[in-house]
Amino acid sequence: MATSLAEENYLKIIYRLSENTDLGVSTNAVAELAQTKAASVTDMLQKLAEKGWVIYQKYQGVRLTPTGQKIALSIIRKHRLWEVFLVEKLGYNWDEVHEIAEQLEHIESDSLIQKLDEFLGFPDRDPHGDPIPTRDGKMADQIYQPLSEIKEKKDCVLMGVAKDAAIFLQVLTKLNLNLGVKITIVEINSFDRSLQIQVNGAAPIFVSHEVAKNILVKA
Amino acid sequence: MATSLAEENYLKIIYRLSENTDLGVSTNAVAELAQTKAASVTDMLQKLAEKGWVIYQKYQGVRLTPTGQKIALSIIRKHRLWEVFLVEKLGYNWDEVHEIAEQLEHIESDSLIQKLDEFLGFPDRDPHGDPIPTRDGKMADQIYQPLSEIKEKKDCVLMGVAKDAAIFLQVLTKLNLNLGVKITIVEINSFDRSLQIQVNGAAPIFVSHEVAKNILVKA
DNA sequence: ATAAATTTTTAGACGAGACTAAAAAATAAT
DNA sequence: ATTATTTTTTAGTCTCGTCTAAAAATTTAT
Ligand SMILES: [Mn+2]
Ligand SMILES: [Mn+2]
Ligand SMILES: [Mn+2]
Ligand SMILES: [Mn+2]
């Protein structure tokens, strides 16, 4: 069945909110991400339920059906492949691509994504370190951990981010915190949990716990 | 002012219908290309007129304002650049790209088109030989002529097509009539104006006048 | 010049997707 | 166990872009 742009965006949002929980997703949570009102969300959830893409019961929240999940994953796959294209081929920075990919992810053509994937060398991570779902709808687990969970004196490598808002990415760029850099934790300030770190062995800098939470690293 | 997908498509259609005439474009002509009804076209023309993109007077047809023309040309620019991308970078055939470009042409990002243009090496023709409008909205003239106007015994080179419907392009491909081939006119049959031609010096084949009209060549 | 045919516009309706205001249900506080 | 608060749903309205049916204007034919 055909999916409208609005439907695709709702499914993607529901998918995102489902990732960290087994409970149904609340109407208000969807409304916030969709930048719309709760009443509009209720309307849409009823439509999505009729199409068989979500399980929805009044006041009980919503969850994706296997079909709904499949659709969401295919949109996410397109989004992330386009992000790779924009960064790798067109020379964008990682903080500039999300909004454009939000548009490109809705282009409908199986062969296009197939060929794009090939053109890009079948990448398995996007420019923010997020796994790219496979063609048959399987997404690798996020295997990296937040920098905030690494112990003092340890080394690690920046593999991704847990948030791709431009404003956050620009901060990282300004601090030379790019994909692949080596991070050494010099000290963790116990009172506000901020970190003193070295980036590729350079002079130590400070980052807040909030920032560290959203930086994904491998030991 | 922002343009909706529907508005962009209407402006593009009006542009196309204006190319070969100085008269206003008729409601019915637009309706046919838009695959919609005349009543819907009338509605839209009134909206476009309010936005200052067309001059519209009841029963008098419609024509683009300079602003409207600018918008139309920017959509056509995007369409053709994406077509180049699909053929040159992703390996599509020229008969497969039009529908996908119809979607991609509506992606909104100045920097994206800028970077895409650069990535493609600033092409000035799309895979069908059509000129790509420049960033500041100038479109080169179509300098090629229909094969149907070439004299007997003359040689020419296939530079483009006047129609990019997949069904037509597939016929050309089947006859080895690809961009850049040398065509020699062996004979013109006077009774139905069909042509006997050689493609790159191979054994002669027949093409109808209808086909010849839509093949663009340079002598 | 009048009638017939065609084209175009208007009038009224509809679905998608959003909104506001108000009602209902679920949660939290006393 | 009642209130009070928050969340969610319903009811009614709006805009966009489309449709059909009918009216009006234009063009063509007689
Ligand atoms: Mn993104
Ligand atoms: Mn991403
Ligand atoms: Mn095309
Ligand atoms: Mn083309």
Side-chain angles (χ1 to χ4, degrees):
Chain A
M1 207 182 322
T3 50
S4 73
L5 191 141
E7 288 166 347
E8 291 184 355
N9 282 332
Y10 274 100
L11 291 174
K12 206 174 41 144
I13 287 168
I14 297 167
Y15 180 92
R16 195 139 97 75
L17 292 170
S18 304
E19 275 183 312
N20 301 312
T21 172
D22 281 329
L23 280 68
V25 168
S26 83
T27 302
N28 262 356
V30 173
E32 185 173 350
L33 284 195
Q35 301 198 83
T36 184
K37 298 298 156 72
S40 310
V41 173
T42 301
D43 282 351
M44 182 57 92
L45 295 185
Q46 287 165 353
K47 284 179 205 161
L48 294 177
E50 286 206 359
K51 297 203 171 190
W53 297 332
V54 302
I55 303 294
Y56 168 71
Q57 280 170 290
K58 282 190 194 181
Y59 300 101
Q60 298 309 119
V62 69
R63 59 190 74 222
L64 295 174
T65 62
T67 312
Q69 188 151 349
K70 213 132 202 209
I71 297 170
L73 282 166
S74 95
I75 306 296
I76 293 169
R77 172 173 164 79
K78 289 192 278 182
H79 182 103
R80 292 180 180 170
L81 281 172
W82 280 116
E83 283 190 341
V84 173
F85 168 73
L86 295 172
V87 169
E88 296 295 316
K89 301 294 182 179
L90 297 195
Y92 275 104
N93 295 320
W94 70 351
D95 60 310
E96 302 172 311
V97 297
H98 182 73
E99 290 310 314
I100 301 175
E102 284 291 306
Q103 296 181 61
L104 288 164
E105 71 189 5
H106 301 290
I107 302 291
E108 190 199 299
S109 165
D110 288 345
S111 70
L112 176 61
I113 291 310
Q114 187 82 16
K115 283 177 190 285
L116 182 64
D117 193 19
E118 188 181 339
F119 182 59
L120 298 173
F122 307 104
D124 46 39
R125 301 257 157 195
D126 82 0
H128 311 103
D130 295 311
I132 297 172
T134 61
R135 192 143 59 90
D136 52 316
K138 303 212 186 313
M139 172 131 72
D141 287 335
Q142 183 50 272
I143 53 176
Y144 308 127
Q145 47 188 325
L147 177 62
S148 53
E149 289 176 9
I150 306 293
K151 302 271 175 294
E152 243 173 26
K153 304 292 174 197
K154 289 277 182 183
D155 278 5
C156 54
V157 179
L158 198 164
M159 300 304 290
V161 290
K163 180 188 287 192
D164 54 9
I167 190 155
F168 170 62
L169 296 172
Q170 282 157 14
V171 168
L172 298 195
T173 301
K174 206 164 294 174
L175 297 173
N176 283 319
L177 284 164
N178 300 308
L179 223 53
V181 300
K182 193 181 86 175
I183 299 176
T184 311
I185 301 191
V186 178
E187 195 183 348
I188 303 176
N189 291 307
S190 55
F191 98 100
D192 68 347
R193 293 192 288 171
S194 69
L195 318 182
Q196 197 178 5
I197 62 175
Q198 282 186 299
V199 179
N200 279 339
I205 56 172
F206 282 92
V207 297
S208 68
H209 178 252
E210 185 60 25
V211 164
K213 256 191 350 197
N214 287 293
I215 292 176
L216 301 177
V217 301
K218 106 177 149 197
Chain B
M1 206 185 319
T3 50
S4 73
L5 191 141
E7 288 166 345
E8 292 185 355
N9 283 331
Y10 274 99
L11 291 174
K12 206 175 40 144
I13 286 168
I14 298 166
Y15 181 91
R16 195 138 97 75
L17 292 170
S18 303
E19 274 182 312
N20 302 310
T21 173
D22 281 330
L23 281 66
V25 168
S26 82
T27 302
N28 263 355
V30 174
E32 186 174 349
L33 285 195
Q35 301 197 87
T36 182
K37 296 298 156 70
S40 310
V41 174
T42 301
D43 282 351
M44 182 56 91
L45 295 185
Q46 288 166 351
K47 283 178 207 161
L48 295 176
E50 285 205 1
K51 296 203 171 190
W53 297 331
V54 302
I55 304 294
Y56 168 70
Q57 281 170 288
K58 282 190 194 180
Y59 300 101
Q60 298 308 120
V62 68
R63 61 189 74 224
L64 294 174
T65 63
T67 313
Q69 188 151 348
K70 215 128 202 206
I71 297 170
L73 282 166
S74 95
I75 306 297
I76 292 169
R77 173 173 162 79
K78 289 191 276 182
H79 181 104
R80 293 182 180 169
L81 282 172
W82 279 116
E83 284 190 340
V84 173
F85 168 73
L86 295 172
V87 169
E88 296 295 317
K89 300 295 182 180
L90 297 195
Y92 275 103
N93 295 320
W94 69 351
D95 60 310
E96 303 173 310
V97 297
H98 182 73
E99 291 310 315
I100 300 175
E102 285 291 307
Q103 295 181 61
L104 287 165
E105 72 189 4
H106 302 290
I107 302 292
E108 191 199 299
S109 166
D110 288 344
S111 70
L112 175 61
I113 292 309
Q114 188 80 16
K115 284 178 189 282
L116 181 64
D117 193 18
E118 187 181 339
F119 181 59
L120 299 172
F122 306 104
D124 45 41
R125 302 255 157 195
D126 82 0
H128 311 103
D130 294 312
I132 297 172
T134 60
R135 192 142 59 92
D136 52 318
K138 303 213 188 311
M139 172 131 70
D141 287 334
Q142 184 51 271
I143 53 176
Y144 308 127
Q145 47 187 326
L147 176 62
S148 53
E149 289 175 10
I150 306 294
K151 302 271 176 292
E152 245 175 23
K153 304 293 176 196
K154 290 276 183 184
D155 279 4
C156 53
V157 178
L158 199 165
M159 300 303 291
V161 290
K163 180 189 287 193
D164 54 8
I167 189 155
F168 170 64
L169 296 171
Q170 281 156 14
V171 168
L172 298 194
T173 301
K174 208 165 291 174
L175 298 172
N176 282 319
L177 285 164
N178 300 307
L179 224 53
V181 299
K182 193 181 84 175
I183 298 177
T184 311
I185 301 192
V186 179
E187 195 183 348
I188 303 178
N189 291 308
S190 54
F191 99 101
D192 69 346
R193 293 193 289 171
S194 69
L195 318 182
Q196 198 179 1
I197 63 174
Q198 285 186 298
V199 179
N200 279 338
I205 56 172
F206 284 91
V207 297
S208 68
H209 176 68
E210 186 59 27
V211 165
K213 259 191 348 194
N214 287 295
I215 292 176
L216 301 177
V217 300
K218 104 176 151 197

